[in-house]
């Protein structure tokens, strides 16, 4: 096709050119076009199918180049670290100052010294002095007048390294310290107690306008507790209360001393936790008195040791009270099923204690309630109260003991005791009926442990 095109051109524009030269020209053009097409095809083939060996060589060359760059950077960093510890460069970064050393070297016959770094710094500073004298704000003479100039800035600083033998690192081993283990057996038992001894003296003259009688009295009391608590479910509480009060009055010509407070009481409770503050309870309550009970100018004995002796065994539920940030604590014991046993050692007192016939004992079923609370009203004032109520088929009895204790010091306290009582087994009184009341107050020694 190219041949016919050239023929058309030659016939049209070059009619006088010889035919053989024209053919030769066309053949040369065709050869050039073929060679160019081969080169294009080769480049396309090389681009499409790359040589694997060439890729590997390019990759190795890139790694070498990268390594050279990293080596050069490391060398520069090492040089900078070394130069940063050289004090001779200080003058280049300090405020521009005219130093004499540069001028001395410039005007001397031998301007060079053995220290190439110092010479280079002096030369650089002289260029600044000559080209920009306006930047020079101070000179060496003024610095020397103000104070001394360190001479070591023109000296190369070298580090003194002490070489030691390479020591193999030893693994850290924990120091073995002998430990004495002491395993203590848990203390489930707890003992505590308190007691007091108090005296009261009252003197009244024979001609006192309101009358009255002189008397002397003493009160002693002790409360001991031994309690078990496994801090899981089982509790076993034991309390022994002992109180004895004696009084003497000149008007009593029959009895030299009489008791005005007499109690010996044991309370034992076995509890199994039911839910939080509630416990299934088995309770044993036994109480009597120490001495004979007498009245003024009367020889009759109204009570005695184990006359009577009351023993009560009951089963029920107990609630442990904790209120007012544990300032009010205690127990409420409900015993709907209990057995009451009474023993009277003196037969002449059996009838007055509800025992019929010539018998020393009697048994009866009963229901009872016992509430014991302790309320810390103030730091020095405490209220202790006990409410006991029991009812049988033949008797109803209620006792409410209240004791207010005021701590004067650690070993001195004052007490107020109020004790109302109801018992329908006693004889009817025209004024009080079946109610009875006892009250006394005293001050004396006290101790708690």
């Amino acid at each position: 096709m190219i041949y016919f095109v050239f023929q058309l051109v030659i016939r049209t524009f070059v009619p006088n050119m010889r035919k053989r030269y024209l053919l030769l020209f066309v053949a040369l053009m065709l050869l050039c076009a073929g060679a160019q097409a081969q080169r294009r095809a080769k480049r396309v083939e090389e681009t499409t199918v790359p040589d694997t060996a060439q890729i590997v060589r390019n990759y190795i060359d890139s790694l070498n180049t990268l390594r050279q760059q990293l080596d050069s950077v490391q060398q520069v960093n090492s040089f900078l670290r070394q130069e940063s510890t050289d004090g001779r460069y200080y003058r280049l970064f300090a405020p521009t100052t005219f130093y004499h050393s540069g001028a001395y070297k410039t005007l001397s016959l031998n301007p060079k010294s053995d220290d190439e770094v110092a010479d280079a710094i002096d030369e650089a500073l002289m260029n600044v002095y000559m080209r920009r004298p306006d930047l020079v704000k101070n000179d060496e003479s003024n610095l020397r007048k103000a104070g001394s100039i360190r001479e070591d800035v023109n000296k190369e600083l070298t580090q003194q390294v002490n070489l030691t033998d390479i020591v193999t690192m030893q693994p850290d081993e924990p120091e073995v310290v002998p430990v004495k283990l002491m395993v203590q057996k848990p203390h489930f038992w707890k003992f505590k107690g308190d007691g007091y001894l108090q005296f009261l003296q009252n003197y009244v003259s024979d001609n006192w306008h309101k009358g009255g009688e002189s008397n002397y009295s003493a009160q002693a009391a002790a409360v001991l507790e031994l309690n078990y608590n496994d801090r899981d479910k089982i509790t076993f509480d034991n309390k022994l209360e002992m109180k004895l009060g004696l009084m003497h009055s000149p008007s009593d010509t029959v009895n030299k001393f009489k008791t005005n407070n007499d109690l010996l009481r044991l309370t034992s409770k076995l509890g199994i936790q039911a839910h939080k503050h509630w416990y299934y309870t088995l309770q044993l309550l036994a109480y009597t008195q120490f001495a004979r009970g007498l009245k003024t100018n009367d020889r009759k004995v109204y009570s005695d040791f184990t006359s009577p002796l009351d023993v009560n065994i009951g089963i029920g539920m107990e609630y442990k009270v904790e209120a007012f940030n544990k300032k009010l604590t205690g127990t409420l014991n409900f015993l709907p099923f209990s057995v009451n046993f009474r023993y009277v050692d003196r037969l002449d007192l059996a009838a007055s204690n509800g025992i019929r016939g010539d018998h020393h004992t009697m048994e009866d079923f009963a229901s009872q309630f016992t509430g014991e609370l302790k309320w810390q009203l103030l730091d020095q004032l405490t209220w202790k109260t006990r409410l006991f109520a029991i009812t049988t088929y033949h008797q109803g009895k209620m006792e409410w003991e209240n004791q207010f204790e005021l701590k004067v010091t650690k070993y001195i306290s004052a007490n107020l005791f109020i004790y109302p009582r109801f018992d329908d087994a006693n004889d009817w009184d025209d004024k009080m009926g079946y109610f009875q009341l006892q009250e006394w107050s005293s001050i004396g020694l006290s101790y708690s442990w």
Side-chain angles (χ1 to χ4, degrees):
M1 183 176 181
I2 298 175
Y3 173 75
F4 290 108
V5 172
F6 274 97
Q7 284 288 339
L8 179 60
V9 174
I10 291 172
R11 291 178 181 179
T12 305
F13 298 101
V14 193
N16 298 324
M17 187 177 294
R18 293 183 179 181
K19 187 176 182 178
R20 55 182 178 183
Y21 293 107
L22 181 59
L23 293 175
L24 179 60
F25 176 76
V26 171
L28 292 175
M29 293 294 292
L30 292 174
L31 291 175
C32 293
Q36 186 175 3
Q38 291 179 359
R39 286 194 298 270
R40 290 177 181 175
K42 185 176 181 180
R43 285 196 300 269
V44 171
E45 181 179 0
E46 292 177 353
T47 305
T48 305
V49 184
D51 188 5
T52 303
Q54 184 63 34
I55 292 176
V56 174
R57 286 193 296 271
N58 293 339
Y59 179 70
I60 293 174
D61 293 341
S62 63
L63 291 179
N64 293 331
T65 303
L66 180 61
R67 180 178 179 181
Q68 292 176 2
Q69 292 176 354
L70 293 176
D71 292 342
S72 61
V73 172
Q74 184 176 2
Q75 291 176 1
V76 171
N77 290 336
S78 300
F79 175 76
L80 292 177
R81 284 196 298 269
Q82 294 175 359
E83 296 298 328
S84 63
T85 59
D86 199 338
R88 293 174 293 177
Y89 293 92
Y90 168 77
R91 295 182 294 171
L92 295 178
F93 303 99
T96 308
T97 304
F98 178 76
Y99 293 97
H100 300 164
S101 59
Y104 290 158
K105 291 181 180 179
T106 303
L107 299 176
S108 64
L109 297 178
N110 187 12
K112 300 295 182 181
S113 63
D114 296 335
D115 193 346
E116 297 180 357
V117 176
D119 294 341
I121 294 173
D122 290 335
E123 184 178 355
L125 290 176
M126 286 302 298
N127 290 331
V128 175
Y129 300 156
M130 300 301 295
R131 297 176 183 273
R132 296 294 303 274
D134 56 307
L135 298 178
V136 181
K137 303 299 182 181
N138 204 349
D139 57 27
E140 185 176 345
S141 299
N142 293 334
L143 292 180
R144 292 187 179 278
K145 292 179 181 179
S148 61
I149 297 180
R150 295 182 56 177
E151 300 294 343
D152 57 350
V153 296
N154 293 325
K155 298 179 181 180
E156 183 179 1
L157 301 178
T158 58
Q159 297 180 355
Q160 300 294 331
V161 180
N162 297 325
L163 300 178
T164 59
D165 296 335
I166 299 177
V167 179
T168 304
M169 297 297 294
Q170 298 294 332
D172 295 335
E173 297 182 359
E175 184 180 357
V176 180
V177 179
V179 179
K180 294 183 180 179
L181 295 179
M182 183 175 60
V183 179
Q184 294 183 350
K185 185 179 180 180
H187 296 286
F188 296 144
W189 292 93
K190 185 178 181 181
F191 174 78
K192 63 179 180 178
D194 61 77
Y196 60 85
L197 176 62
Q198 300 177 342
F199 300 92
L200 178 63
Q201 183 267 337
N202 182 27
Y203 172 77
V204 179
S205 63
D206 295 337
N207 61 346
W208 185 251
H209 69 288
K210 290 185 178 181
E213 182 182 21
S214 301
N215 60 77
Y216 307 91
S217 64
Q219 298 280 345
V223 179
L224 305 178
E225 294 186 42
L226 181 62
N227 302 326
Y228 174 88
N229 188 350
D230 67 351
R231 296 174 179 83
D232 185 15
K233 287 184 177 296
I234 306 299
T235 61
F236 184 37
D237 300 333
N238 301 274
K239 179 191 287 187
L240 179 61
E241 300 173 81
M242 297 173 289
K243 298 179 181 179
L244 181 61
L246 300 176
M247 64 174 297
H248 168 73
S249 56
S251 63
D252 190 356
T253 59
V254 177
N255 304 304
K256 188 174 182 179
F257 292 99
K258 301 184 295 292
T259 60
N260 58 1
N261 190 15
D262 192 358
L263 176 65
L264 176 60
R265 182 167 58 204
L266 173 65
T267 305
S268 295
K269 293 181 292 183
L270 176 63
I272 301 176
Q273 187 177 27
H275 179 70
K276 292 185 178 179
H277 298 284
W278 286 98
Y279 288 79
Y280 301 108
T281 303
L282 176 64
Q283 176 178 279
L284 169 65
L285 177 62
Y287 54 95
T288 184
Q289 51 280 322
F290 286 99
R292 297 177 179 180
L294 305 173
K295 292 185 178 180
T296 303
N297 293 323
D298 191 353
R299 296 183 182 275
K300 181 181 177 180
V301 178
Y302 290 88
S303 63
D304 201 353
F305 181 70
T306 66
S307 294
L309 168 63
D310 289 293
V311 179
N312 183 278
I313 300 176
I315 186 171
M317 297 288 292
E318 181 183 67
Y319 180 80
K320 293 187 179 297
V321 179
E322 287 185 0
F324 304 115
N325 198 18
K326 295 186 178 182
K327 291 186 177 181
L328 176 61
T329 58
T331 59
L332 302 177
N333 204 351
F334 304 89
L335 302 177
F337 307 103
S338 63
V339 178
N340 191 47
F341 173 80
R342 173 169 288 183
Y343 171 78
V344 178
D345 184 61
R346 301 171 67 109
L347 281 177
D348 56 338
L349 298 178
S352 61
N353 286 280
I355 300 177
R356 298 177 181 179
D358 296 333
H359 299 284
H360 292 273
T361 62
M362 66 172 290
E363 302 85 18
D364 203 353
F365 294 96
S367 298
Q368 69 173 7
F369 167 80
T370 305
E372 296 186 17
L373 299 176
K374 178 181 179 181
W375 194 348
Q376 192 75 32
L377 300 174
L378 301 171
D379 292 340
Q380 294 82 18
L381 181 61
T382 305
W383 174 38
K384 298 179 182 179
T385 181
R386 178 182 181 271
L387 177 63
F388 174 75
I390 184 172
T391 177
T392 67
Y393 293 105
H394 309 289
Q395 179 188 12
K397 181 171 65 174
M398 184 185 69
E399 299 175 345
W400 187 19
E401 303 175 23
N402 297 274
Q403 179 183 354
F404 296 89
E405 182 181 8
L406 177 63
K407 283 282 188 181
V408 181
T409 64
K410 184 178 180 180
Y411 301 107
I412 299 178
S413 65
N415 288 272
L416 172 63
F417 190 82
I418 303 175
Y419 184 9
R421 186 176 184 271
F422 174 87
D423 189 356
D424 60 4
N426 293 335
D427 296 333
W428 176 266
D429 185 79
D430 295 335
K431 294 183 179 180
M432 301 290 294
Y434 292 118
F435 285 94
Q436 305 170 15
L437 179 64
Q438 183 185 33
E439 180 271 332
W440 54 265
S441 60
S442 62
I443 186 172
L445 301 176
S446 63
Y447 183 73
S448 299
W449 61 90

